[in-house]
Amino acid sequence: MWTYHPDLLAVPVPRYTSFPTAAEFGDEVGEGDFVQALADVRGDISLYVHIPFCEKICWYCGCNTSAANKAERVASYLDALNHEISLVAERVPKGAKVSRIAFGGGSPNGISPIDFVRIVDTLIVHFGVTNPVMSIELDPRTLGSEWASVIGAIGIDRASLGVQTFAPHLQEAIGRVQPTRMIENSTAMLRAAGITSLNFDLMYGLPGQTMADLDDSLEQTVALGADRIALFGYAHVPHMIPRQRKIDASDLPDAQARFAMAAHGYSFLLDAGYVPVGFDHFALPGDSLAQAMLKGTLRRNFQGFTEDPSDVLLGLGASAISGFPGLLAQNEKNTGRYRMMLSQDRLPVNRGIARTAQDQHRGAVIEALLCRGRARIDETLRAEALPLLRPYLDADLCEIDGEDLVIRPGGVPYARSIAARFDPYRKDSLRRFSSAV
Ligand code: SF4
């Protein structure tokens, strides 16, 4: 279904979970900008709560996380997080309502269930939350019955399991050993706890991974009834993520093999009845993510593809990013400095970028291309982008339909590369991003 054009994938491009991307953030944005943006918030807003701890650190992981092996350090982080929640909540105007809360990390279940309940209580009390849609990222290696009970009692009904691969030799190669029985037990416990939308994260492009390995992981994922699947290509960038140095890079699939794996995964999951969502997500037709895709209301934010319609996402916790129409603002990444800022009653925002009207316009075009495969292009953008798009148009990966640019079915793996033609920041920062497939 997909044709491999190595020259059109040669240039690394961002994942565009925001525009401008985090690579454009600078230290000119701080607490004052964030407080001003908060004051203007109205209507439904979403929260993301970052818990930067995991019981065991996987070698491939690029997340801001560390081992939860020092109780005192975890406790003081959670105190700071609870304090941040109260400081942010008191600045949110009365007219705003929290309708969604996502817990991520790290692994939220890298902390104790009691500590987690305390965070949820703080959110409910300070934001006055009633009946939000709640989701949580989970590590099967630390998911016990106590955690399942807490998830059920709180009423969280969406969960994402870090699976990556079922193949034992690949799990060894990436430092994440979790036997199939563990994933099956986690799935059963989460279903019994009331999880109605369960995502499995899977990876291709792992060292030593064969097409048969990928097939097996896809088959087991489908058999376990995952409602959503995110199929990511492993990006080996040890110069940026030092913990990846533990991974033997001598057996990594080359670019063409990675492309073949992405294509195979795509057609496998379509044949299994999943709806393709954007360029790397899949969902069963009844799932809300597939419904958003089918209705044309899919969005993209820091968590990837989402059905969340809100334009305001408040990030809480070290390194968390908040998004407003006119501002992207990131918290201090270092947990020690994050704690110190909060101990001084300061909101820990210290990086970001003001989004100009032009940024918002280009961001809407990029989001539309990635989420709907179609975007209205005004004359100015058309004149600028058409020469850059010529190779993609000539290869039938996209086409002009009236005033719209449309990504054709064979152009799906090139969607990020096509969208990048509307990104004027790209020229200076290409080397910082991962391969487009
Ligand atoms: S469990 Fe997830 S967040 Fe934690 S180290 Fe592994 S991949 Fe990273």
Side-chain angles (χ1 to χ4, degrees), residues 84-124:
E84 185 194 5
I85 291 168
S86 67
L87 291 180
V88 172
E90 70 190 30
R91 287 168 172 80
V92 171
K94 292 274 177 286
K97 173 177 166 271
V98 172
S99 55
R100 287 170 187 261
I101 307 176
F103 299 94
S107 304
N109 62 324
I111 62 173
S112 76
I114 289 173
D115 284 336
F116 182 73
V117 169
R118 189 171 148 233
I119 295 170
V120 173
D121 278 348
T122 308
L123 288 164
I124 289 171

mmCIF file of all heavy atoms in Angstrom, residues 84-124:
data_model
loop_
_atom_site.group_PDB
_atom_site.id
_atom_site.type_symbol
_atom_site.label_atom_id
_atom_site.label_comp_id
_atom_site.label_asym_id
_atom_site.label_seq_id
_atom_site.Cartn_x
_atom_site.Cartn_y
_atom_site.Cartn_z
ATOM 1 N N GLU A 84 1.864 22.908 43.833
ATOM 2 C CA GLU A 84 1.677 23.535 42.513
ATOM 3 C C GLU A 84 0.200 23.482 42.102
ATOM 4 O O GLU A 84 -0.353 24.463 41.581
ATOM 5 C CB GLU A 84 2.536 22.839 41.449
ATOM 6 C CG GLU A 84 2.457 23.553 40.095
ATOM 7 C CD GLU A 84 3.007 22.739 38.934
ATOM 8 O OE1 GLU A 84 3.384 21.559 39.115
ATOM 9 O OE2 GLU A 84 3.025 23.290 37.810
ATOM 10 N N ILE A 85 -0.431 22.342 42.339
ATOM 11 C CA ILE A 85 -1.852 22.208 41.988
ATOM 12 C C ILE A 85 -2.664 23.310 42.679
ATOM 13 O O ILE A 85 -3.492 23.976 42.053
ATOM 14 C CB ILE A 85 -2.370 20.803 42.380
ATOM 15 C CG1 ILE A 85 -1.732 19.735 41.475
ATOM 16 C CG2 ILE A 85 -3.899 20.744 42.306
ATOM 17 C CD1 ILE A 85 -1.945 18.298 41.943
ATOM 18 N N SER A 86 -2.394 23.529 43.955
ATOM 19 C CA SER A 86 -3.177 24.547 44.681
ATOM 20 C C SER A 86 -2.874 25.951 44.150
ATOM 21 O O SER A 86 -3.786 26.774 43.986
ATOM 22 C CB SER A 86 -2.920 24.459 46.187
ATOM 23 O OG SER A 86 -1.585 24.823 46.471
ATOM 24 N N LEU A 87 -1.597 26.231 43.833
ATOM 25 C CA LEU A 87 -1.237 27.566 43.335
ATOM 26 C C LEU A 87 -1.855 27.848 41.963
ATOM 27 O O LEU A 87 -2.315 28.964 41.685
ATOM 28 C CB LEU A 87 0.292 27.700 43.234
ATOM 29 C CG LEU A 87 1.082 27.741 44.545
ATOM 30 C CD1 LEU A 87 2.573 27.868 44.247
ATOM 31 C CD2 LEU A 87 0.616 28.885 45.425
ATOM 32 N N VAL A 88 -1.832 26.842 41.091
ATOM 33 C CA VAL A 88 -2.410 27.035 39.750
ATOM 34 C C VAL A 88 -3.924 27.170 39.854
ATOM 35 O O VAL A 88 -4.530 28.065 39.251
ATOM 36 C CB VAL A 88 -2.010 25.872 38.805
ATOM 37 C CG1 VAL A 88 -2.776 25.970 37.484
ATOM 38 C CG2 VAL A 88 -0.502 25.882 38.554
ATOM 39 N N ALA A 89 -4.538 26.283 40.647
ATOM 40 C CA ALA A 89 -6.011 26.276 40.741
ATOM 41 C C ALA A 89 -6.539 27.620 41.231
ATOM 42 O O ALA A 89 -7.576 28.098 40.738
ATOM 43 C CB ALA A 89 -6.470 25.143 41.659
ATOM 44 N N GLU A 90 -5.834 28.252 42.166
ATOM 45 C CA GLU A 90 -6.381 29.510 42.699
ATOM 46 C C GLU A 90 -6.296 30.646 41.678
ATOM 47 O O GLU A 90 -6.943 31.678 41.840
ATOM 48 C CB GLU A 90 -5.706 29.883 44.029
ATOM 49 C CG GLU A 90 -4.279 30.321 43.951
ATOM 50 C CD GLU A 90 -3.636 30.419 45.343
ATOM 51 O OE1 GLU A 90 -4.042 29.663 46.254
ATOM 52 O OE2 GLU A 90 -2.721 31.244 45.508
ATOM 53 N N ARG A 91 -5.532 30.448 40.596
ATOM 54 C CA ARG A 91 -5.435 31.482 39.555
ATOM 55 C C ARG A 91 -6.349 31.204 38.362
ATOM 56 O O ARG A 91 -6.402 31.994 37.421
ATOM 57 C CB ARG A 91 -3.984 31.599 39.075
ATOM 58 C CG ARG A 91 -3.083 32.265 40.087
ATOM 59 C CD ARG A 91 -1.629 32.116 39.716
ATOM 60 N NE ARG A 91 -0.761 32.899 40.579
ATOM 61 C CZ ARG A 91 -0.383 32.532 41.789
ATOM 62 N NH1 ARG A 91 -0.800 31.387 42.283
ATOM 63 N NH2 ARG A 91 0.414 33.309 42.510
ATOM 64 N N VAL A 92 -7.011 30.067 38.360
ATOM 65 C CA VAL A 92 -7.912 29.743 37.242
ATOM 66 C C VAL A 92 -9.265 30.414 37.499
ATOM 67 O O VAL A 92 -9.850 30.221 38.564
ATOM 68 C CB VAL A 92 -8.081 28.210 37.108
ATOM 69 C CG1 VAL A 92 -9.180 27.869 36.115
ATOM 70 C CG2 VAL A 92 -6.763 27.575 36.661
ATOM 71 N N PRO A 93 -9.756 31.221 36.548
ATOM 72 C CA PRO A 93 -11.014 31.932 36.767
ATOM 73 C C PRO A 93 -12.189 30.982 37.000
ATOM 74 O O PRO A 93 -12.181 29.834 36.550
ATOM 75 C CB PRO A 93 -11.210 32.698 35.445
ATOM 76 C CG PRO A 93 -9.863 32.762 34.820
ATOM 77 C CD PRO A 93 -9.147 31.531 35.248
ATOM 78 N N LYS A 94 -13.198 31.504 37.674
ATOM 79 C CA LYS A 94 -14.376 30.688 38.019
ATOM 80 C C LYS A 94 -15.073 30.124 36.772
ATOM 81 O O LYS A 94 -15.676 29.061 36.823
ATOM 82 C CB LYS A 94 -15.380 31.549 38.813
ATOM 83 C CG LYS A 94 -14.876 31.945 40.190
ATOM 84 C CD LYS A 94 -15.165 30.868 41.236
ATOM 85 C CE LYS A 94 -14.608 31.200 42.592
ATOM 86 N NZ LYS A 94 -13.134 31.057 42.675
ATOM 87 N N GLY A 95 -15.010 30.865 35.659
ATOM 88 C CA GLY A 95 -15.725 30.433 34.445
ATOM 89 C C GLY A 95 -15.110 29.224 33.758
ATOM 90 O O GLY A 95 -15.667 28.705 32.797
ATOM 91 N N ALA A 96 -13.963 28.767 34.240
ATOM 92 C CA ALA A 96 -13.305 27.620 33.599
ATOM 93 C C ALA A 96 -13.665 26.336 34.343
ATOM 94 O O ALA A 96 -13.855 26.339 35.556
ATOM 95 C CB ALA A 96 -11.797 27.816 33.609
ATOM 96 N N LYS A 97 -13.751 25.249 33.595
ATOM 97 C CA LYS A 97 -14.139 23.978 34.217
ATOM 98 C C LYS A 97 -13.211 22.869 33.730
ATOM 99 O O LYS A 97 -13.010 22.698 32.521
ATOM 100 C CB LYS A 97 -15.588 23.670 33.806
ATOM 101 C CG LYS A 97 -16.086 22.314 34.219
ATOM 102 C CD LYS A 97 -17.555 22.157 33.831
ATOM 103 C CE LYS A 97 -17.999 20.719 33.912
ATOM 104 N NZ LYS A 97 -17.812 19.959 32.697
ATOM 105 N N VAL A 98 -12.653 22.124 34.682
ATOM 106 C CA VAL A 98 -11.775 21.011 34.315
ATOM 107 C C VAL A 98 -12.638 19.838 33.853
ATOM 108 O O VAL A 98 -13.445 19.308 34.613
ATOM 109 C CB VAL A 98 -10.896 20.587 35.510
ATOM 110 C CG1 VAL A 98 -10.138 19.302 35.183
ATOM 111 C CG2 VAL A 98 -9.924 21.697 35.873
ATOM 112 N N SER A 99 -12.486 19.449 32.594
ATOM 113 C CA SER A 99 -13.313 18.343 32.080
ATOM 114 C C SER A 99 -12.500 17.075 31.854
ATOM 115 O O SER A 99 -13.077 15.999 31.685
ATOM 116 C CB SER A 99 -14.016 18.764 30.789
ATOM 117 O OG SER A 99 -13.067 19.221 29.859
ATOM 118 N N ARG A 100 -11.161 17.187 31.831
ATOM 119 C CA ARG A 100 -10.318 16.003 31.627
ATOM 120 C C ARG A 100 -9.065 16.089 32.477
ATOM 121 O O ARG A 100 -8.496 17.176 32.630
ATOM 122 C CB ARG A 100 -9.850 15.921 30.163
ATOM 123 C CG ARG A 100 -10.939 15.527 29.228
ATOM 124 C CD ARG A 100 -10.490 15.694 27.794
ATOM 125 N NE ARG A 100 -11.621 15.461 26.936
ATOM 126 C CZ ARG A 100 -11.875 14.329 26.302
ATOM 127 N NH1 ARG A 100 -11.026 13.335 26.383
ATOM 128 N NH2 ARG A 100 -12.952 14.183 25.575
ATOM 129 N N ILE A 101 -8.631 14.937 32.977
ATOM 130 C CA ILE A 101 -7.356 14.872 33.698
ATOM 131 C C ILE A 101 -6.598 13.653 33.180
ATOM 132 O O ILE A 101 -7.127 12.535 33.182
ATOM 133 C CB ILE A 101 -7.549 14.731 35.223
ATOM 134 C CG1 ILE A 101 -8.476 15.831 35.770
ATOM 135 C CG2 ILE A 101 -6.192 14.785 35.927
ATOM 136 C CD1 ILE A 101 -8.795 15.688 37.254
ATOM 137 N N ALA A 102 -5.361 13.871 32.722
ATOM 138 C CA ALA A 102 -4.504 12.772 32.256
ATOM 139 C C ALA A 102 -3.307 12.672 33.199
ATOM 140 O O ALA A 102 -2.673 13.689 33.514
ATOM 141 C CB ALA A 102 -4.036 13.037 30.832
ATOM 142 N N PHE A 103 -3.021 11.461 33.645
ATOM 143 C CA PHE A 103 -1.854 11.219 34.495
ATOM 144 C C PHE A 103 -0.803 10.487 33.672
ATOM 145 O O PHE A 103 -1.092 9.428 33.101
ATOM 146 C CB PHE A 103 -2.233 10.370 35.712
ATOM 147 C CG PHE A 103 -3.255 11.017 36.606
ATOM 148 C CD1 PHE A 103 -4.606 10.736 36.445
ATOM 149 C CD2 PHE A 103 -2.872 11.921 37.586
ATOM 150 C CE1 PHE A 103 -5.558 11.339 37.256
ATOM 151 C CE2 PHE A 103 -3.817 12.531 38.402
ATOM 152 C CZ PHE A 103 -5.170 12.237 38.235
ATOM 153 N N GLY A 104 0.410 11.065 33.606
ATOM 154 C CA GLY A 104 1.459 10.435 32.812
ATOM 155 C C GLY A 104 2.809 10.586 33.484
ATOM 156 O O GLY A 104 2.921 11.038 34.621
ATOM 157 N N GLY A 105 3.842 10.197 32.773
ATOM 158 C CA GLY A 105 5.156 10.270 33.391
ATOM 159 C C GLY A 105 6.258 9.912 32.414
ATOM 160 O O GLY A 105 6.159 10.197 31.238
ATOM 161 N N GLY A 106 7.250 9.190 32.920
ATOM 162 C CA GLY A 106 7.249 8.326 34.063
ATOM 163 C C GLY A 106 6.072 7.346 34.034
ATOM 164 O O GLY A 106 5.420 7.127 33.037
ATOM 165 N N SER A 107 5.863 6.778 35.178
ATOM 166 C CA SER A 107 4.723 5.885 35.368
ATOM 167 C C SER A 107 3.984 6.324 36.623
ATOM 168 O O SER A 107 4.548 6.240 37.713
ATOM 169 C CB SER A 107 5.193 4.447 35.577
ATOM 170 O OG SER A 107 5.988 4.030 34.524
ATOM 171 N N PRO A 108 2.750 6.783 36.480
ATOM 172 C CA PRO A 108 2.004 7.141 37.688
ATOM 173 C C PRO A 108 1.994 6.006 38.713
ATOM 174 O O PRO A 108 2.001 6.256 39.920
ATOM 175 C CB PRO A 108 0.607 7.456 37.149
ATOM 176 C CG PRO A 108 0.888 7.993 35.771
ATOM 177 C CD PRO A 108 2.029 7.161 35.263
ATOM 178 N N ASN A 109 2.015 4.741 38.243
ATOM 179 C CA ASN A 109 2.035 3.648 39.235
ATOM 180 C C ASN A 109 3.452 3.311 39.688
ATOM 181 O O ASN A 109 3.674 2.251 40.278
ATOM 182 C CB ASN A 109 1.294 2.406 38.727
ATOM 183 C CG ASN A 109 1.897 1.791 37.474
ATOM 184 O OD1 ASN A 109 2.388 2.503 36.611
ATOM 185 N ND2 ASN A 109 1.872 0.473 37.371
ATOM 186 N N GLY A 110 4.374 4.256 39.474
ATOM 187 C CA GLY A 110 5.705 4.146 40.082
ATOM 188 C C GLY A 110 5.681 4.681 41.513
ATOM 189 O O GLY A 110 6.633 4.511 42.262
ATOM 190 N N ILE A 111 4.583 5.382 41.881
ATOM 191 C CA ILE A 111 4.435 5.848 43.270
ATOM 192 C C ILE A 111 3.397 4.952 43.959
ATOM 193 O O ILE A 111 2.794 4.087 43.319
ATOM 194 C CB ILE A 111 4.013 7.341 43.333
ATOM 195 C CG1 ILE A 111 2.650 7.558 42.660
ATOM 196 C CG2 ILE A 111 5.068 8.217 42.692
ATOM 197 C CD1 ILE A 111 2.088 8.977 42.842
ATOM 198 N N SER A 112 3.171 5.178 45.245
ATOM 199 C CA SER A 112 2.230 4.303 45.956
ATOM 200 C C SER A 112 0.794 4.726 45.630
ATOM 201 O O SER A 112 0.520 5.905 45.367
ATOM 202 C CB SER A 112 2.459 4.389 47.465
ATOM 203 O OG SER A 112 1.926 5.605 47.952
ATOM 204 N N PRO A 113 -0.145 3.777 45.676
ATOM 205 C CA PRO A 113 -1.552 4.133 45.426
ATOM 206 C C PRO A 113 -2.043 5.213 46.390
ATOM 207 O O PRO A 113 -2.830 6.082 46.007
ATOM 208 C CB PRO A 113 -2.296 2.803 45.641
ATOM 209 C CG PRO A 113 -1.285 1.736 45.446
ATOM 210 C CD PRO A 113 0.031 2.330 45.869
ATOM 211 N N ILE A 114 -1.556 5.190 47.630
ATOM 212 C CA ILE A 114 -2.014 6.196 48.606
ATOM 213 C C ILE A 114 -1.560 7.592 48.188
ATOM 214 O O ILE A 114 -2.319 8.553 48.251
ATOM 215 C CB ILE A 114 -1.480 5.847 50.015
ATOM 216 C CG1 ILE A 114 -2.223 4.608 50.515
ATOM 217 C CG2 ILE A 114 -1.644 6.999 50.982
ATOM 218 C CD1 ILE A 114 -1.696 4.047 51.805
ATOM 219 N N ASP A 115 -0.314 7.683 47.740
ATOM 220 C CA ASP A 115 0.185 8.989 47.270
ATOM 221 C C ASP A 115 -0.620 9.462 46.061
ATOM 222 O O ASP A 115 -0.880 10.657 45.896
ATOM 223 C CB ASP A 115 1.666 8.897 46.898
ATOM 224 C CG ASP A 115 2.547 8.874 48.131
ATOM 225 O OD1 ASP A 115 2.108 9.370 49.183
ATOM 226 O OD2 ASP A 115 3.673 8.359 48.038
ATOM 227 N N PHE A 116 -0.990 8.510 45.211
ATOM 228 C CA PHE A 116 -1.766 8.877 44.024
ATOM 229 C C PHE A 116 -3.156 9.402 44.427
ATOM 230 O O PHE A 116 -3.615 10.421 43.893
ATOM 231 C CB PHE A 116 -1.898 7.662 43.092
ATOM 232 C CG PHE A 116 -2.640 7.962 41.831
ATOM 233 C CD1 PHE A 116 -2.060 8.727 40.829
ATOM 234 C CD2 PHE A 116 -3.937 7.509 41.647
ATOM 235 C CE1 PHE A 116 -2.751 9.024 39.662
ATOM 236 C CE2 PHE A 116 -4.635 7.797 40.478
ATOM 237 C CZ PHE A 116 -4.032 8.553 39.494
ATOM 238 N N VAL A 117 -3.778 8.728 45.363
ATOM 239 C CA VAL A 117 -5.105 9.170 45.826
ATOM 240 C C VAL A 117 -5.012 10.588 46.401
ATOM 241 O O VAL A 117 -5.896 11.423 46.184
ATOM 242 C CB VAL A 117 -5.671 8.185 46.882
ATOM 243 C CG1 VAL A 117 -6.899 8.767 47.573
ATOM 244 C CG2 VAL A 117 -6.004 6.850 46.226
ATOM 245 N N ARG A 118 -3.914 10.876 47.061
ATOM 246 C CA ARG A 118 -3.730 12.218 47.633
ATOM 247 C C ARG A 118 -3.685 13.274 46.519
ATOM 248 O O ARG A 118 -4.263 14.351 46.637
ATOM 249 C CB ARG A 118 -2.440 12.233 48.465
ATOM 250 C CG ARG A 118 -2.281 13.486 49.270
ATOM 251 C CD ARG A 118 -1.106 13.359 50.233
ATOM 252 N NE ARG A 118 -0.492 14.663 50.427
ATOM 253 C CZ ARG A 118 0.801 14.918 50.267
ATOM 254 N NH1 ARG A 118 1.635 13.953 49.932
ATOM 255 N NH2 ARG A 118 1.262 16.133 50.458
ATOM 256 N N ILE A 119 -3.006 12.949 45.421
ATOM 257 C CA ILE A 119 -2.944 13.901 44.297
ATOM 258 C C ILE A 119 -4.346 14.116 43.725
ATOM 259 O O ILE A 119 -4.763 15.253 43.457
ATOM 260 C CB ILE A 119 -2.003 13.374 43.189
ATOM 261 C CG1 ILE A 119 -0.568 13.304 43.695
ATOM 262 C CG2 ILE A 119 -2.067 14.271 41.948
ATOM 263 C CD1 ILE A 119 0.365 12.576 42.746
ATOM 264 N N VAL A 120 -5.073 13.021 43.545
ATOM 265 C CA VAL A 120 -6.428 13.143 42.981
ATOM 266 C C VAL A 120 -7.304 13.998 43.904
ATOM 267 O O VAL A 120 -8.046 14.884 43.453
ATOM 268 C CB VAL A 120 -7.053 11.743 42.761
ATOM 269 C CG1 VAL A 120 -8.514 11.857 42.334
ATOM 270 C CG2 VAL A 120 -6.254 10.965 41.716
ATOM 271 N N ASP A 121 -7.194 13.764 45.215
ATOM 272 C CA ASP A 121 -7.961 14.566 46.176
ATOM 273 C C ASP A 121 -7.613 16.046 46.048
ATOM 274 O O ASP A 121 -8.495 16.916 46.066
ATOM 275 C CB ASP A 121 -7.647 14.114 47.614
ATOM 276 C CG ASP A 121 -8.454 12.888 47.996
ATOM 277 O OD1 ASP A 121 -9.385 12.548 47.244
ATOM 278 O OD2 ASP A 121 -8.127 12.265 49.024
ATOM 279 N N THR A 122 -6.329 16.327 45.934
ATOM 280 C CA THR A 122 -5.894 17.734 45.825
ATOM 281 C C THR A 122 -6.492 18.368 44.570
ATOM 282 O O THR A 122 -6.958 19.515 44.601
ATOM 283 C CB THR A 122 -4.346 17.816 45.778
ATOM 284 O OG1 THR A 122 -3.819 17.082 46.870
ATOM 285 C CG2 THR A 122 -3.862 19.246 45.855
ATOM 286 N N LEU A 123 -6.488 17.620 43.476
ATOM 287 C CA LEU A 123 -7.059 18.145 42.229
ATOM 288 C C LEU A 123 -8.543 18.438 42.398
ATOM 289 O O LEU A 123 -9.047 19.497 41.994
ATOM 290 C CB LEU A 123 -6.857 17.125 41.098
ATOM 291 C CG LEU A 123 -5.421 16.958 40.585
ATOM 292 C CD1 LEU A 123 -5.290 15.679 39.768
ATOM 293 C CD2 LEU A 123 -5.003 18.163 39.746
ATOM 294 N N ILE A 124 -9.250 17.495 43.004
ATOM 295 C CA ILE A 124 -10.705 17.640 43.144
ATOM 296 C C ILE A 124 -11.039 18.821 44.052
ATOM 297 O O ILE A 124 -11.889 19.655 43.731
ATOM 298 C CB ILE A 124 -11.319 16.320 43.669
ATOM 299 C CG1 ILE A 124 -11.265 15.265 42.551
ATOM 300 C CG2 ILE A 124 -12.752 16.519 44.144
ATOM 301 C CD1 ILE A 124 -11.629 13.870 42.978
#
